[in-house]
Amino acid sequence: MTPFSEPNTDPTDPPTPGVPSQEETITPNSAIDRLLADGIGLGRGTAGGWTEPPLLRDDFLDDGPIVRPCVPDRPATDADRYQFLGEIGRGGMGVVFKGRDPILGRDLAVKVLRPELVGRPESEQRFMEEVQVSGQLQHPGIVPVYDLGRRPDGRPFFTMKFVRGRTLSALLTDRPDPATDRPRFLADFQKACQTVAYAHSRGVIHRDLKPANIMIGPFGEVLVVDWGLAKVLTQGRGSEGSTTSETSADGAADEPAPIRTARTDVGIGSETTAGCVLGTPAFMPPEQAAGEVERLDERVDVFGLGAVLCVLLTGQPPYVSENRDTARQMSLRGDLAAAFARLDACGADAELIALCKRCLAPDREARPRHAGEVEAAVSAYLAGVEGRIRQAQMDRGKAEAAAAAERKRRQAQVGLAVSLVALVGLAAGAIWFIEGREARAREERAAQQARVRDGVESALDRLPDLYQRSLWVQAQAAVDQASDLVGPEGDPGLRAMVDAAARDAALLKELDRIRLGKATWQKNRLSFQEAPDRYAAAFRAAGFDVHGPDPTDVARRVAASPVRDYLIAGMDDWGFTEGADKARQQRICAVTAAATGQGWRLAVPAAWESHRQLAALYESIPPADRTPAVIEQIGWELERTKFGTGIGILEEGLRQFPGDFWICFRLGDAYRDDRRKKPALAAGVFRVAHTARPE
């Protein structure tokens, strides 16, 4: 299965449009067609067919919205607006892909309804309400929604900001103990409370708050994510007996789909069930576990915030059980004795423990009324902690001042004695001053050397990513920056490191230039003919004389090189180009085989004589050894000579390396071939190639 398609696996479900049934045979071409339909061109919505969004409370008015939200007819748009770059996650309702908007030039996340849920009105309604609710919740702590559309196969999708970061669950799990970095995580928890308080002010409850649904960005952003189980409360509702907007297509309030699905996130107790009871058993209050829909209000999320705080303080959720049904029974009974015992033993401040217990109260009337009260309590606690720190600093300052006064008094008492040894002290002071100045100079030199080393290492650390994207100008700039930091008279070790990086960068740039020249041989046939000699000269100039007297030493140094994979890829392209000179080809393959420990490379020269043998050799290569260069060269050789398996190898390579420039480039040529005549597929893979290397 490719990461861009999900076949219908439930035999009781009706066939999903655009997805093969179990009786169909999936041929390579049909598979790649689906790959391109899902992964490269993403259809947007057509006119009509959208449900009216649920109404949220106005941001500033308490008496309801002043404008009724609506969804106008959407004009048909370009089906290739968005590009897929790969699946990044999936849940009970949808599949999330990393996508790209080529018009605006930005990455984004695309969530698509799972294919097996198409045709289920309640599932589609819940999916639509998730995006419509999220789209109206505009807050820095909520991922913004960009667009809503429908795929050509009928599945709805929506696009949103692509969030980089880690879940709070993963960060808490990585702690050596629950007391580590507690102030930092409390600050993140306070921001999450602010976000949930905003949602409550708009009449929305999340219903699935847990550390796995809180994202921490690389610059301190705190986001509350996954609003798929959100519930919209009625305008002006009280705490009891209110209805909600959450109804299925047949009018049954809060009726779940007749299936059970699960989503698993990183961390303890993060499995979300979508069945008769919605939510995560380890984090839900009794009324939610009992399915008492009419009693669910903001205090459901207050319990969830308390559960998150419980994990932050103790390392475990309120209900700990390896069995989901057991955890649900514990939540149904409000069995919190073990959780409260862990809180009492966690060593946190009593004020913080008391707040957590209030939020986790089994009786919802004993909990804070909404997330705003929780956020205010956390803010007051943090302010109190800051005040105690300031007071401690002031007390320490007073103590230091008193000690200084005492020292002055004693100094006056011993002044006479000091005068008797003044000459001796003066001499000793001079010696101390000179030695201190020299010590400070040594420390400053060491600090400067450390700063230079950090700057050089930071510049060189960028090189692997720049090599991966073939950004040679930027790579040279990074090397020049490191060289300027070292200077001509700098540390010899750093200078050797920078010089080696400069040689590597120049070699990789030249190898890429040769490969591009060979690929465009129809415009420059001389480059194709001279490619073997140019490869030999480039490697020889960099100290890798493959045809020299000691190829074993060359293999050893290639294996030890920090750019080993790029050198092997260049030698692969060189060796596959040397088909006319078997001796030279055998020598190159022997070096790469010794450098990688992959014995199959020794059989390449003989297999190159017969396309059938070459295809058989490819099948014998372990999947882990099939690098993009191996796939591209063997697949293109078989395709160029009209051998049937070549295009299949390239298509499989696209599935394994969906963003590789060379595989897309060769596959586009294959689809453009007169005997295939697949211009749409050629355009699709060429578009991906252009995204990888716009120049």
Side-chain angles (χ1 to χ4, degrees):
M1 183 187 304
T2 73
F4 303 105
S5 62
E6 311 84 27
N8 187 347
T9 57
D10 188 346
T12 64
D13 288 346
T16 303
V19 178
S21 67
Q22 294 179 345
E23 290 75 16
E24 290 182 71
T25 299
I26 304 178
T27 65
N29 281 341
S30 65
I32 201 67
D33 290 345
R34 290 205 318 278
L35 172 67
L36 293 170
D38 276 351
I40 298 171
L42 176 62
R44 301 179 68 196
T46 58
W50 300 105
T51 62
E52 189 171 290
L55 300 181
L56 307 189
R57 297 177 194 158
D58 190 85
D59 279 301
F60 305 104
L61 301 179
D62 294 330
D63 55 352
I66 58 175
V67 177
R68 184 176 179 83
C70 62
V71 178
D73 289 342
R74 297 167 58 94
T77 54
D78 181 7
D80 286 337
R81 169 65 189 276
Y82 300 119
Q83 298 170 354
F84 274 2
L85 303 179
E87 179 182 321
I88 56 177
R90 61 176 59 214
M93 296 294 296
V95 183
V96 181
F97 298 95
K98 181 181 179 182
R100 184 168 180 80
D101 185 340
I103 295 179
L104 296 180
R106 65 179 176 185
D107 292 337
L108 42 78
V110 186
K111 186 170 184 178
V112 186
L113 182 67
R114 293 176 70 107
E116 62 266 26
L117 300 181
V118 173
R120 299 177 184 270
E122 63 277 10
S123 298
E124 294 196 11
Q125 175 73 10
R126 188 178 299 283
F127 185 88
M128 298 297 292
E129 285 196 3
E130 175 185 358
V131 59
Q132 292 167 337
V133 168
S134 300
Q136 295 180 72
L137 292 176
Q138 301 185 57
H139 186 273
I142 298 175
V143 180
V145 174
Y146 296 148
D147 194 12
L148 171 64
R150 195 176 289 276
R151 298 278 309 284
D153 62 5
R155 284 187 289 167
F157 73 89
F158 63 93
T159 62
M160 52 190 165
K161 177 182 177 180
F162 181 71
V163 179
R164 292 176 171 85
R166 301 185 68 196
T167 65
L168 179 61
S169 176
L171 294 173
L172 294 179
T173 302
D174 287 346
R175 298 180 299 178
D177 62 79
T180 302
D181 285 342
R182 186 174 286 164
R184 163 202 164 192
F185 288 118
L186 282 174
D188 293 336
F189 176 72
Q190 180 191 20
K191 293 180 182 178
C193 291
Q194 292 171 346
T195 300
V196 179
Y198 163 77
H200 288 179
S201 73
R202 300 297 310 278
V204 175
I205 58 177
H206 188 284
R207 292 200 300 179
D208 199 18
L209 292 175
K210 56 189 176 183
N213 282 340
I214 298 175
M215 293 287 298
I216 311 298
F219 300 101
E221 317 96 293
V222 178
L223 298 162
V224 179
V225 300
D226 201 349
W227 294 80
L229 300 185
K231 179 176 181 174
V232 182
L233 304 177
T234 302
Q235 306 295 327
R237 70 187 303 279
S239 62
E240 297 288 341
S242 298
T243 59
T244 74
S245 69
E246 183 174 344
T247 57
S248 63
D250 58 2
D254 202 44
E255 184 67 18
I259 59 173
R260 296 181 67 86
T261 57
R263 175 176 183 264
T264 302
D265 291 316
V266 178
I268 303 170
S270 62
E271 186 178 76
T272 302
T273 59
C276 294
V277 175
L278 301 178
T280 304
F283 294 88
M284 65 171 60
E287 65 268 23
Q288 186 177 5
E292 299 174 352
V293 179
E294 68 284 352
R295 299 186 67 230
L296 302 185
D297 61 7
E298 294 91 339
R299 284 167 288 195
V300 171
D301 286 349
V302 169
F303 187 96
L305 291 173
V308 173
L309 183 57
C310 181
V311 178
L312 193 156
L313 297 178
T314 70
Q316 292 181 306
Y319 309 115
V320 179
S321 174
E322 295 182 357
N323 185 286
R324 185 176 57 206
D325 292 333
T326 302
R328 181 186 167 192
Q329 290 300 319
M330 293 174 67
S331 64
L332 189 63
R333 297 191 304 268
D335 185 1
L336 291 160
F340 286 1
R342 291 194 298 271
L343 285 169
D344 292 335
C346 71
D349 290 345
E351 183 181 354
L352 205 56
I353 294 174
L355 172 62
C356 186
K357 289 182 177 180
R358 278 201 300 132
C359 293
L360 293 176
D363 180 8
R364 69 171 190 156
E365 301 299 332
R367 300 174 209 150
R369 182 62 187 82
H370 50 71
E373 294 185 9
V374 181
E375 192 277 333
V378 175
S379 297
Y381 168 77
L382 293 176
V385 170
E386 185 177 354
R388 291 195 292 272
I389 293 174
R390 285 199 301 270
Q391 184 61 45
Q393 292 173 340
M394 292 174 61
D395 293 342
R396 186 170 62 250
K398 291 179 181 178
E400 291 174 351
E406 179 65 18
R407 285 194 301 271
K408 288 181 180 179
R409 186 180 65 83
R410 291 181 179 178
Q411 288 171 357
Q413 292 176 348
V414 298
L416 182 59
V418 171
S419 64
L420 297 177
V421 294
L423 292 177
V424 177
L426 181 62
I431 296 173
W432 173 84
F433 175 78
I434 295 172
E435 292 179 348
R437 183 174 60 184
E438 292 177 351
R440 288 191 296 273
R442 287 194 298 270
E443 291 175 357
E444 178 59 29
R445 286 195 298 272
Q448 177 63 21
Q449 290 174 354
R451 288 193 293 270
V452 170
R453 177 173 292 276
D454 290 343
V456 169
E457 292 177 349
S458 176
L460 298 185
D461 284 345
R462 298 199 303 270
L463 291 177
D465 178 64
L466 298 174
Y467 292 157
Q468 179 68 27
R469 294 186 287 160
S470 303
L471 299 177
W472 308 115
V473 174
Q474 293 87 331
Q476 186 59 51
V479 172
D480 292 342
Q481 178 186 358
S483 181
D484 291 342
L485 287 172
V486 176
E489 304 298 330
D491 179 82
L494 288 180
R495 170 51 58 190
M497 182 190 308
V498 172
D499 290 344
R503 288 193 298 270
D504 290 341
L507 174 58
L508 298 189
K509 179 180 179 181
E510 177 62 16
L511 297 181
D512 185 70
R513 213 166 103 192
I514 297 170
R515 193 173 182 183
L516 283 173
K518 177 176 66 68
T520 57
W521 65 275
Q522 290 178 325
K523 295 181 180 179
N524 188 0
R525 184 178 296 273
L526 188 61
S527 295
F528 179 77
Q529 294 171 345
E530 292 184 345
D533 291 337
R534 290 181 61 190
Y535 269 130
F539 277 108
R540 184 168 55 252
F544 301 102
D545 189 0
V546 175
H547 299 306
D550 192 0
T552 303
D553 179 65
V554 173
R556 179 183 56 78
R557 288 188 293 108
V558 167
S561 172
V563 293
R564 188 201 81 149
D565 292 344
Y566 297 98
L567 298 181
I568 295 297
M571 287 187 178
D572 281 341
D573 192 72
W574 177 17
F576 295 148
T577 307
E578 288 277 18
D581 191 328
K582 293 303 173 188
R584 287 164 61 102
Q585 189 180 42
Q586 185 67 52
R587 176 67 70 95
I588 297 167
C589 292
V591 170
T592 59
T596 61
Q598 298 167 357
W600 59 266
R601 294 176 175 275
L602 297 174
V604 169
W608 213 262
E609 295 295 323
S610 167
H611 297 135
R612 190 174 303 279
Q613 292 181 24
L614 186 60
L617 173 63
Y618 180 82
E619 292 299 321
S620 70
I621 298 175
D625 294 351
R626 296 177 183 174
T627 64
V630 171
I631 293 172
E632 181 255 329
Q633 287 294 334
I634 294 181
W636 178 242
E637 175 66 17
L638 295 176
E639 170 61 21
R640 183 180 65 82
T641 54
K642 313 304 181 187
F643 195 79
T645 61
I647 195 167
I649 291 174
L650 293 173
E651 290 172 341
E652 185 60 34
L654 179 60
R655 296 185 184 93
Q656 187 177 357
F657 303 100
D660 185 79
F661 167 78
W662 284 104
I663 293 177
C664 294
F665 181 81
R666 295 303 192 188
L667 190 55
D669 270 350
Y671 285 140
R672 192 175 56 175
D673 189 275
D674 290 340
R675 62 197 176 93
R676 298 191 184 278
K677 295 182 179 178
K678 293 185 176 181
L681 295 181
V685 289
F686 277 141
R687 188 177 297 112
V688 175
H690 179 265
T691 301
R693 294 189 65 168
E695 75 280 9

